[in-house]
Amino acid sequence: DWYQTQVSNCNNIICNIDRIKEADPSMTDKEYSEWKSEAYCWRAWNLFQMSYIWGDIPVQNKLLPPITDENVEEVYFDMYPPRVPKEEVFDQLIEELTFACQYAPDLDPANKYLFSKAFAHGLLARVYAEKTRRDWNKVIENCEAVEAMNLKLVDDYGQMWAYDENDV
């Protein structure tokens, strides 16, 4: 339920960002693309986790209309979509993360809460490393993109969870 709630939160941004841009002419194209990219990243991470755990999963990519007694039968299948094969889920992840690799915010060490280009490239590399989409050249390409942002793997696994170098 938690994962689906997170996907729904992302859908609120993805499905409404065009209306927001239309209503607020001060929103720049850069802001528009960054917001959409960050929502794509968070949705992709959640869908990836769900696919990793359960394989084929139900994917909800749109907002539900208000449910009334007149439309409940029409909306039912939108509320409870059928499972989508993992391969199709990964197709969506690749498409959305490719967009995010181009338009997500740049890496900002002062704000690690952004879903940045580095995050998008890292998750895309992980998707391409999966058996259903294995493409080592794409894995290397995306890992090199992350490294080009001055990020690297730590030498000691214990450092991954340290708050600073004194905690190791």
Side-chain angles (χ1 to χ4, degrees):
D1 189 43
W2 184 86
Y3 289 112
Q4 290 290 21
T5 300
Q6 298 309 307
V7 169
S8 178
N9 291 338
C10 295
N11 289 342
N12 277 319
I13 296 170
I14 295 164
C15 296
N16 286 309
I17 194 75
D18 292 330
R19 290 182 30 215
I20 294 168
K21 184 163 177 28
E22 188 177 301
D24 181 5
S26 69
M27 177 182 258
T28 66
D29 290 341
K30 184 177 190 272
E31 289 171 320
Y32 169 88
S33 296
E34 286 180 349
W35 274 81
K36 192 170 189 174
S37 294
E38 288 187 87
Y40 276 161
C41 285
W42 185 230
R43 182 166 75 179
W45 185 86
N46 282 283
L47 293 174
F48 181 82
Q49 294 299 327
M50 290 168 49
S51 291
Y52 195 76
I53 296 168
W54 295 292
D56 299 348
I57 58 169
V59 176
Q60 177 60 267
N61 287 327
K62 59 185 179 178
L63 298 176
L64 296 175
I67 301 167
T68 65
D69 57 341
E70 289 91 26
N71 74 355
V72 71
E73 289 185 28
E74 295 169 28
V75 177
Y76 181 84
F77 290 105
D78 291 334
M79 288 176 19
Y80 302 103
R83 288 178 174 235
V84 174
K86 190 174 185 176
E87 293 78 16
E88 290 179 30
V89 175
F90 279 24
D91 288 342
Q92 177 179 329
L93 300 182
I94 290 168
E95 180 182 334
E96 293 178 358
L97 289 169
T98 299
F99 178 91
C101 286
Q102 186 173 357
Y103 297 109
D106 291 326
L107 186 64
D108 180 2
N111 186 356
K112 295 182 181 183
Y113 298 104
L114 291 175
F115 289 105
S116 66
K117 288 177 178 149
F119 179 90
H121 279 289
L123 185 53
L124 191 53
R126 182 68 177 95
V127 170
Y128 278 121
E130 285 294 309
K131 286 182 184 178
T132 57
R133 283 293 175 265
R134 187 152 296 152
D135 183 339
W136 295 121
N137 291 326
K138 293 283 189 182
V139 172
I140 291 167
E141 176 186 318
N142 283 285
C143 287
E144 287 174 346
V146 172
E147 289 173 338
M149 295 176 213
N150 293 323
L151 295 173
K152 62 180 182 168
L153 295 175
V154 294
D155 295 328
D156 178 359
Y157 183 77
Q159 290 177 340
M160 287 182 66
W161 314 114
Y163 292 102
D164 62 44
E165 63 267 1
N166 297 326
D167 289 340
V168 177

